[in-house]
Amino acid sequence: MTSRDAILTKIRNARSNAAAQIKPADDVGIHPQATPAGDLLGQFIELARAEVATVDELGTVAEVPAAVARYMEEQGLGNQLVLGPDPQLGDLDWQSIASLKCSQESPHPDGDTVITACYAAVADSGALVVVSSPDHPVELNFLPANHIVVLRRDQVLEDFERLWTQLRQDYAGKPWPRCINLIVGPSRTADLGFPPKMGAHGPGRVHILVV
Amino acid sequence: MNDQKNPGGAHVAVAKGKPSVALLVTCLVDLFRPAVGFAAVKLLEEAGYEVKVPEQGCCGQPNYNNGDRQGARAMARGTIERFSGYDYVVVPSGSCAGMLRIHYPALFEPGSKDQQQAEDLARRTYELTSFLYDIAGVTEVQAQLSATATYHDGCAGLREMRVRDQPRALLASVGGLEIAELSEPEVCCGFGGTFCVKYPDVSDRITEKKIADIRNTGADYLLAGDLGCLLTIGGKLHRDGSTITACHVAEVLAGMAEADSDADD
Amino acid sequence: MQTTSLKFRQLASQALADETLRTALGDVERIMPVIRNSALDQLENPEAWFDRASASRDRTLAELDVYLEAFEQKVQQLGGHVHWAADGTEACEIIAGICETAGARTVTKSKSMVTEEIELNAFLESRDMTVVETDLGEYIIQLRGERPSHILAPALHVTLSEVAETFHRHHDLERAAPLREPTEMLLEARAVLRDRFLSADVGITGANFLVAETGGVVIVTNEGNADLTASLPDTHIVVTGIEKVVPTLEDAGLMLRLLARSAAGQRLSTYTTLIHGPRRAEDSSGPSNFHVVLLDNGRSDMLGTQLQEMLRCIRCSACINHCPVYTAVGGHAYGSVYSGPMGAVLTPGLAGLHAAAHLPNASTFCGRCEEVCPVRIPIPKMLRYWRDREFERRMTPRSVRYGLDWWTHMNASPRIYRSLLGIAARLLRGLSSRGWITRLPGPGRAWTRYRDMPTPAGQTFQHQWRRTRGRAGES
């Protein structure tokens, strides 16, 4: 008998109930938290800031390059910006910002600033949601020192439950995205005492541009 | 209210028709601090109950907590038998009350006669202060104590018997008494029954932290509803040369906190 | 699973004498309950969330085979491999085999208590692989050759100056200026580990949850090390216990809310990642090989027994942070990778009761562990279960067994009990001076080593009652 069979047999012997099946998600008795349906964006921004992300509210996506340049200058992050392969961002008018040197290569192990789009944001936890794809390799979220994320106002969801529902709809009939990352502020560690220290292995800065 | 004599006094006549309360006095009170038992009797009688003290022994908790189910069952059967027939069973200890209320039913085969009797006892069993406040409807006492006291929540009373607000509400009515809360009233004192002698140094460290918390309140009295906690904390306070007095909440509520506890009668 | 739990008494005494440990544990005790409470207060009615979470876990455990098979099937559909390991040795063999097939020389790891449980690092090192822990705390103790002292904060017991000294010794910093600030130490570790991440052949992570609905592996960190471990090497191996499966994303969301709050007072951990299989044809990066190793190692033996509820555990460490014994002696005293209340239940289950005999006894039964558990595990009840087994198997010390037996006999008749208490009162009064006893003989010695004992105040209550209130008060 393989270990697989042995383990499953032990489990089956231990349980008394008849064969079960995975219940549909609406049967799990979980009721989404009553999130104030009002100002989702406001709630998200408040929680993201509480988790040490910075947020800049812009008008249209066209304002992104100038806002990036401004942020990088303020923070003293140099002029190297990695765009990644995402055409949504690559197609913006970066040429007009002479001070920025943009590249689409993968980030250098250290020192780089990366800008990416995102899939959604979750208001009740202050989390950005990014999903991996050929346009958005997962390491873009983790290797750079600084991560700038463009979030559309209409991407903010109330809670996890709305996120799962939307993912199920968007990926119906398709494989799930290889990585779904929920990101709440910069990387941190509590292994060097309280309070946690920012900038462990992942980005030490997370800057959100709301468009 | 019943015409109550002092606890050491002579026979108290009880009117017919009063609900009966059997007092489970607990081994520690029985041996170390009988005044707590008399304080409980006084409070219960003043609240209008006919108090009885059935012949009794240990509730079996030491056996139960050390894995000796058979011994615990034997003692539980004895207690169940001796405490049958009373309207209520009241215990001046959250820990022993929890044994009767929570653990006795778990000792016996579900559905068995023993278990039914254990359930019956469990339903009638109360910790003293919660009985006075929740069941007897006592909201104030006549006692006086001009002092500052702090209150430690014994773990079993707090978590098994849901005793938290009742003793505080009653203590608030004691004339002259100021309550200074601990910063961590719900953290264990280190007693843990036989734990304190099985792992004395670990127990001592836990008590040490509790005492630091007590000292920070500036209280003259440490109050609790369990004599186990009081012996543990009080014993260490005395070893440390502290003047803080460890006292059972029943003694304060009955106005007996300053009585000479060494007197025979 | 190796333990040194039989030396609990001795290890605890050493720990009690360690002043730096005391400071670290004082921080846990002071800070963790406060931040946990405030995070849980963000949820309306946290107790209702605990109810839902424990119900979800129970539902899963009742049908564990169904969810595991569904998870396996989904992972396979995504192009991943699922392995089943009956015990630690089999898991180590499977993992080493995957690493060898991948030609691995360097393996990065994110913190995984299951890999500590199966002692994976030593096994891979014996197969000539270099294993690098990437969680900062785990990395620190790996350099120091120590075991974790807390399931979430493995280097809790290490002071900042010891961290600096450790990096100095192991990072070739001999001539450099000493590291003083935590941020300097963080940058130093980040720089060294960054190279390791980029050069690793295989990345090994644990899993916080496995989602049966999607075949997803949920991994939670604050540092981001698990994501770099999982995404940079060409092979990713997930090692986790069979109990970690949850039915749907809703169940996962429920657990994640409670895990982050209970563990670290966070709404959500900084990084929560759901991984579905290996890289796709169209992806430019990500591991080509994706393996999940499902470990039993005694877990299925707990199913259907009084220990089943322990398998609800989501490893949040709230019980540990709130335990008066853990915060007195720290994790190493328990002699097991799992410490505190959850460790005291789990260790006998995984390593055998004989290897962990002290642990179920090293509890005051204060019940705070059960009170703070987000999945409502009745930990004291389970510690009693182990104490019952010890008593049955005559593992309880003979003196204790005889003592309990004697006590039962003394209680067989209230009359005997009353006379016994009367004798005890007289004996104790004989040892007394000014109302207190400062030295007791026999088993009482353990009491008077640290505390005094008040002299029994006169005759026993029952004696006085019978004398003063006569038989009228008796039934």
Side-chain angles (χ1 to χ4, degrees):
Chain A
M1 190 150 67
T2 63
S3 288
R4 180 186 187 279
D5 294 339
I7 294 167
L8 287 171
T9 303
K10 276 168 85 179
I11 295 172
R12 289 190 186 111
N13 289 343
R15 75 180 175 92
S16 49
N17 53 335
Q21 51 183 322
I22 296 188
K23 294 182 176 63
D26 60 2
D27 190 38
V28 295
I30 294 165
H31 306 289
Q33 200 180 6
T35 312
D39 185 15
L40 288 183
L41 178 66
Q43 192 192 358
F44 167 75
I45 290 176
E46 188 192 326
L47 295 187
R49 283 190 173 137
E51 294 296 342
V52 207
T54 50
V55 182
D56 194 359
E57 291 191 72
L58 308 177
T60 68
V61 72
E63 296 170 30
V64 164
V68 169
R70 202 165 54 235
Y71 171 72
M72 290 177 68
E73 194 186 326
E74 277 166 18
Q75 300 291 318
L77 304 181
N79 62 354
Q80 305 280 333
L81 177 70
V82 176
L83 291 174
D86 188 347
Q88 283 182 68
L89 295 172
D91 292 350
L92 295 176
D93 182 14
W94 297 100
Q95 273 76 19
S96 66
I97 312 293
S99 63
L100 282 183
K101 283 175 117 178
C102 301
S103 72
Q104 302 216 312
E105 287 161 36
S106 284
H108 183 271
D110 280 301
D112 269 336
T113 303
V114 166
I115 185 166
T116 71
C118 66
Y119 174 80
V122 183
D124 82 352
S125 54
L128 291 161
V129 185
V130 293
V131 299
S132 67
S133 70
D135 286 348
H136 191 150
V138 65
E139 65 270 19
L140 284 184
N141 313 318
F142 294 97
L143 279 173
N146 314 297
H147 188 191
I148 302 173
V149 182
V150 180
L151 170 70
R152 289 199 324 270
R153 288 187 165 77
D154 64 3
Q155 287 181 307
V156 184
L157 304 170
E158 284 93 330
D159 49 30
F160 289 141
E161 287 70 26
R162 267 74 164 199
L163 173 64
W164 311 140
T165 304
Q166 182 176 310
L167 281 162
R168 283 192 193 102
Q169 285 164 3
D170 288 354
Y171 290 89
K174 289 184 278 187
W176 284 80
R178 197 182 80 76
C179 292
I180 301 166
N181 298 97
L182 280 72
I183 300 174
V184 187
S187 158
R188 67 200 66 187
T189 182
D191 285 330
L192 295 171
F194 296 102
K197 310 295 177 290
M198 296 295 146
H201 296 297
R205 286 188 185 85
V206 171
H207 185 59
I208 304 166
L209 299 175
V210 181
V211 298
Chain B
M1 286 281 139
N2 175 39
D3 181 22
Q4 164 66 28
K5 302 270 169 57
N6 74 59
H11 166 74
V12 175
V14 278
K16 272 220 182 270
K18 285 182 183 179
S20 62
V21 166
L23 183 72
L24 181 93
V25 72
T26 79
C27 306
L28 293 179
V29 168
D30 207 352
L31 175 61
F32 285 103
R33 203 137 166 149
V36 174
F38 288 108
V41 171
K42 178 169 186 265
L43 289 163
L44 291 165
E45 287 182 343
E46 283 177 358
Y49 294 86
E50 179 185 350
V51 179
K52 301 276 194 168
V53 180
E55 288 200 301
Q56 53 192 279
C58 171
C59 67
Q61 193 174 180
N63 300 65
Y64 181 65
N65 282 347
N66 282 291
D68 176 16
R69 293 242 158 185
Q70 204 185 328
R73 269 192 283 268
M75 282 185 240
R77 282 197 190 94
T79 307
I80 289 167
E81 190 191 313
R82 295 189 284 265
F83 283 81
S84 69
Y86 301 96
D87 295 321
Y88 301 102
V89 174
V90 173
V91 193
S93 154
S95 173
C96 305
M99 182 68 195
L100 271 61
R101 166 87 70 83
I102 309 288
H103 301 294
Y104 273 13
L107 271 172
F108 300 104
E109 205 55 42
S112 64
K113 188 157 176 276
D114 279 331
Q115 206 230 11
Q116 284 167 8
Q117 290 175 333
E119 291 281 6
D120 171 62
L121 176 64
R123 274 192 294 275
R124 293 182 285 123
T125 299
Y126 294 86
E127 180 277 340
L128 175 67
T129 59
S130 66
F131 180 79
L132 290 171
Y133 192 82
D134 298 333
I135 303 301
V138 175
T139 54
E140 53 185 49
V141 293
Q142 300 305 313
Q144 285 281 328
L145 181 63
S146 296
T148 302
T150 190
Y151 181 81
H152 162 71
D153 291 278
C155 296
L158 178 70
R159 299 193 177 88
E160 293 183 343
M161 302 303 287
R162 308 278 157 213
V163 178
R164 176 161 55 194
D165 300 334
Q166 304 93 327
R168 288 179 171 83
L170 294 170
L171 285 169
S173 72
V174 173
L177 185 66
E178 285 287 324
I179 295 289
E181 287 285 350
L182 295 168
S183 68
E184 297 275 13
E186 300 185 1
V187 170
C188 180
C189 70
F191 173 56
T194 50
F195 173 85
C196 70
V197 286
K198 284 194 285 189
Y199 303 98
D201 50 356
V202 183
S203 167
D204 180 59
R205 173 61 54 83
I206 300 171
T207 312
E208 191 182 321
K209 295 191 228 180
K210 177 58 69 180
I211 284 179
D213 197 357
I214 293 166
R215 285 179 186 273
N216 280 336
T217 65
D220 316 304
Y221 282 83
L222 164 74
L223 309 181
D226 261 283
L227 199 52
C229 309
L230 290 165
L231 291 175
T232 303
I233 302 169
K236 188 166 172 65
L237 282 168
H238 189 262
R239 176 68 58 93
D240 292 351
S242 168
T243 56
I244 300 170
T245 307
C247 205
H248 195 284
V249 67
E251 295 172 283
V252 174
L253 295 178
M256 293 161 61
E258 287 169 315
D260 181 6
S261 58
D262 272 348
D264 257 18
D265 284 304
Chain C
M1 190 168 109
Q2 301 279 321
T3 72
T4 54
S5 307
L6 295 178
K7 291 198 289 185
F8 176 83
R9 242 184 256 278
Q10 184 191 334
L11 295 169
S13 297
Q14 283 167 14
L16 289 168
D18 181 341
E19 284 301 318
T20 60
L21 177 65
R22 188 173 182 175
T23 307
L25 294 171
D27 283 347
V28 172
E29 194 174 23
R30 194 166 41 84
I31 297 166
M32 297 316 289
V34 176
I35 63 174
R36 170 198 171 268
N37 286 342
S38 75
L40 282 170
D41 284 345
Q42 298 151 4
L43 295 172
E44 233 174 279
N45 193 357
E47 296 288 323
W49 287 86
F50 290 6
D51 288 340
R52 275 179 224 157
S54 57
S56 163
R57 293 300 293 141
D58 281 351
R59 187 165 73 91
T60 312
L61 294 170
E63 301 164 356
L64 191 59
D65 52 330
V66 176
Y67 297 117
L68 286 170
E69 285 195 281
F71 171 79
E72 177 186 45
Q73 193 192 1
K74 292 284 180 185
V75 170
Q76 288 166 348
Q77 283 168 5
L78 291 161
H81 303 273
V82 176
H83 310 263
W84 302 69
D87 58 27
T89 311
E90 188 179 6
C92 286
E93 290 287 359
I94 291 167
I95 296 160
I98 298 166
C99 292
E100 279 162 2
T101 306
R105 281 171 304 171
T106 304
V107 175
T108 43
K109 281 184 67 208
S110 77
K111 194 174 80 59
S112 147
M113 293 313 293
V114 165
T115 64
E116 292 281 352
E117 175 187 329
I118 63 176
E119 293 162 65
L120 178 64
N121 291 11
F123 193 91
L124 294 180
E125 281 159 5
S126 76
R127 302 282 186 97
D128 293 327
M129 285 175 248
T130 302
V131 182
V132 183
E133 294 287 352
T134 63
D135 168 83
L136 186 55
E138 196 78 21
Y139 176 62
I140 291 165
I141 61 164
Q142 186 188 28
L143 293 181
R144 295 168 62 84
E146 294 172 337
R147 297 179 94 183
S149 65
H150 185 284
I151 61 167
L152 288 193
L156 181 78
H157 58 285
V158 186
T159 63
L160 278 179
S161 61
E162 287 168 336
V163 173
E165 184 246 336
T166 303
F167 286 172
H168 227 79
R169 189 146 32 91
H170 291 274
H171 282 184
D172 201 21
L173 294 173
E174 297 302 335
R175 273 178 290 276
L179 303 168
R180 290 191 195 282
E181 294 302 316
T183 44
E184 294 173 347
M185 298 172 206
L186 185 56
L187 286 173
E188 168 63 22
R190 180 185 160 108
V192 169
L193 288 171
R194 186 50 69 106
D195 287 340
R196 304 291 202 162
F197 279 126
L198 292 167
S199 63
D201 307 297
V202 173
I204 299 176
T205 69
N208 293 89
F209 305 103
L210 308 172
V211 184
E213 175 195 1
T214 70
V217 173
V218 181
I219 308 175
V220 169
T221 72
N222 281 324
E223 296 182 7
N225 61 308
D227 293 279
L228 292 170
T229 303
S231 54
L232 296 176
D234 199 41
T235 298
H236 175 202
I237 306 173
V238 177
V239 193
T240 194
I242 53 172
E243 83 282 15
K244 290 290 180 71
V245 70
V246 296
T248 67
L249 287 170
E250 275 71 11
D251 298 276
L254 172 57
M255 301 305 158
L256 288 168
R257 280 186 175 96
L258 293 175
L259 175 62
R261 286 179 167 87
S262 303
Q266 293 173 289
R267 274 194 167 75
L268 190 62
S269 304
T270 306
Y271 299 110
T272 300
T273 298
L274 195 56
I275 298 177
H276 291 104
R279 74 194 279 178
R280 315 276 162 79
E282 65 275 19
D283 286 340
S284 58
S285 65
S288 314
N289 309 300
F290 178 78
H291 298 266
V292 179
V293 180
L294 298 173
L295 176 74
D296 183 345
N297 205 29
R299 288 165 175 77
S300 63
D301 292 333
M302 296 188 197
L303 281 173
T305 74
Q306 291 187 61
L307 295 169
Q308 173 162 322
E309 288 151 309
M310 192 61 219
L311 297 174
R312 290 180 189 159
C313 181
I314 58 172
R315 306 290 190 267
C316 74
S317 74
C319 64
I320 298 174
N321 298 337
H322 289 76
C323 176
V325 176
Y326 178 89
T327 52
V329 302
H332 286 156
Y334 289 80
S336 160
V337 298
Y338 301 110
S339 59
M342 58 83 76
V345 177
L346 211 48
T347 306
L350 301 179
L353 189 52
H354 274 282
H358 271 292
L359 302 192
N361 296 289
S363 159
T364 66
F365 278 152
C366 79
R368 219 176 168 208
C369 45
E370 181 174 0
E371 181 179 79
V372 299
C373 177
V375 287
R376 299 202 182 286
I377 300 172
I379 292 178
K381 190 181 99 178
M382 299 188 161
L383 295 173
R384 276 198 190 89
Y385 168 86
W386 285 125
R387 292 188 192 186
D388 291 350
R389 300 293 85 71
E390 289 183 351
F391 192 86
E392 268 170 23
R393 297 175 201 175
R394 298 176 175 276
M395 293 164 63
T396 309
R398 187 180 296 184
S399 56
V400 176
R401 277 188 288 125
Y402 287 178
L404 293 170
D405 208 32
W406 173 80
W407 186 235
T408 308
H409 281 100
M410 291 300 112
N411 274 276
S413 135
R415 199 176 47 81
I416 299 176
Y417 169 86
R418 272 202 312 276
S419 348
L420 178 76
L421 246 55
I423 295 166
R426 276 198 296 281
L427 285 176
L428 288 170
R429 277 202 298 277
L431 295 166
S432 154
S433 145
R434 293 184 196 168
W436 289 87
I437 301 158
T438 54
R439 192 185 279 177
L440 281 168
R445 249 190 335 221
W447 179 282
T448 48
R449 195 184 309 160
Y450 297 104
R451 335 177 142 85
D452 295 334
M453 180 168 268
T455 312
Q459 290 175 315
T460 65
F461 174 85
Q462 288 199 67
H463 185 94
Q464 293 187 46
W465 177 267
R466 288 164 68 82
R467 221 181 45 192
T468 58
R469 306 276 292 247
R471 300 214 159 248
E474 288 172 27
S475 57

